[in-house]
Amino acid sequence: MTDSTSAGGLSTLSLTAPDNGIFGQRTSDSVARVLRLAIIDGRLRPGTPLREVTLAEQLGVSRTPIREALFTLSRENLVDLKPNRGATVRRFTRDDLADVYGLRATLEAHAARMAAGRITDEQVTRLRESCDRLAALREGAKPSEQAAEDYTFHSLMTDATGSRQMQSMVREVLAFTITYRSDFAYTEAQMRHAEQQHREVTAALAARDGDLAGRLLQGHVLWSRELALSHFHDPAE
């Protein structure tokens, strides 16, 4: 990727939330959230350099929260940090993708079992609303739009565990896979299948059936892995 393309991606970054409010987080968390979203939706492509000075100027913050945010994203495997060479958006291999999907399937199955015993009616409603939004993205939607709603559903499910540790671990692997998911669109049939799987998981959680929810979610993630691997290409190309 050329610097001009990278600069174009950076020019779209802002600490302002979609509702025109500032993210209610400490500055480094806000920066990490902005960069994570830009990586997930494809504005920052694999190999893009993430220069602290440029990011600080673009986001209107000091270099300290930029440095902290880049460290956070490196833990999520979204950013490569190398001494004396700075940070870049991570490139990954087919094996990386397969391994992380496998880990995600195991973690999310456990999260679903936890969530079944703790989820509230309001959280079930939010999951159903996510399913409805996913249904509206079957035809003509951008891959990034499909991926963003997928991320929302899995994040909502994990939030229902009430465990900050589980939320942190799942989001680390989820962000990595959703980044690649943003590179290709599901067909209408695949979107219908994904939506149905989401609805089945939601129904199991609503019934507080943890074993079923765990099995369904693990199967869904492994199905997603096969689809992702069938679309794999070298991000350097």
Side-chain angles (χ1 to χ4, degrees):
M1 173 166 289
T2 64
D3 286 344
S4 61
T5 303
S6 301
L10 293 178
S11 68
T12 65
L13 302 181
S14 168
L15 286 182
T16 303
D19 61 0
N20 294 321
I22 301 300
F23 292 141
Q25 304 168 298
R26 66 191 182 111
T27 303
S28 63
D29 290 338
S30 297
V31 171
R33 184 176 177 182
V34 169
L35 295 177
R36 184 185 299 110
L37 179 60
I39 293 170
I40 288 173
D41 69 20
R43 281 176 288 154
L44 294 176
R45 306 294 298 167
T48 300
L50 300 171
R51 299 183 178 91
E52 290 181 12
V53 173
T54 303
L55 288 170
E57 292 175 351
Q58 182 63 40
L59 295 175
V61 298
S62 70
R63 293 178 63 179
T64 297
I66 298 294
R67 191 174 300 115
E68 292 173 351
L70 291 175
F71 179 75
T72 295
L73 296 178
S74 73
R75 291 182 54 208
E76 296 176 10
N77 292 311
L78 295 178
V79 168
D80 277 332
L81 280 178
K82 296 183 179 179
N84 303 318
R85 297 184 61 183
T88 58
V89 179
R90 184 179 176 184
R91 301 184 190 276
F92 48 89
T93 68
R94 183 184 181 88
D95 286 344
D96 290 334
L97 194 64
D99 289 346
V100 176
Y101 262 107
L103 177 58
R104 182 182 151 194
T106 300
L107 281 173
E108 288 202 68
H110 183 60
R113 289 190 289 270
M114 290 178 62
R118 304 176 182 183
I119 195 167
T120 66
D121 290 342
E122 181 181 357
Q123 288 171 321
V124 170
T125 297
R126 290 177 181 172
L127 287 171
R128 288 172 175 154
E129 290 171 346
S130 175
C131 292
D132 291 342
R133 290 192 297 270
L134 198 65
L137 296 173
R138 289 178 185 164
E139 187 176 356
K142 297 177 181 178
S144 59
E145 293 173 327
Q146 295 175 346
E149 192 56 52
D150 190 44
Y151 183 87
T152 295
F153 178 87
H154 288 271
S155 295
L156 288 170
M157 186 282 300
T158 307
D159 287 345
T161 66
S163 167
R164 295 187 65 179
Q165 185 67 25
M166 180 60 71
Q167 291 162 11
S168 176
M169 289 190 296
V170 170
R171 282 198 170 92
E172 284 186 19
V173 293
L174 181 59
F176 182 91
T177 58
I178 293 295
T179 299
Y180 185 71
R181 168 69 180 83
S182 300
D183 271 354
F184 64 93
Y186 278 19
T187 66
E188 184 172 352
Q190 290 164 346
M191 285 298 293
R192 286 182 183 276
H193 189 61
E195 177 204 336
Q196 181 61 30
Q197 290 177 323
H198 281 199
R199 291 192 188 279
E200 289 172 354
V201 170
T202 301
L205 290 172
R208 276 61 178 182
D209 189 334
D211 288 340
L212 179 58
R215 290 197 305 271
L216 289 171
L217 194 55
Q218 185 172 45
H220 167 60
V221 174
L222 293 176
W223 172 80
S224 300
R225 177 175 69 176
E226 294 309 305
L227 194 54
L229 291 174
S230 73
H231 285 83
F232 182 82
H233 61 273
D234 186 340
E237 293 177 355

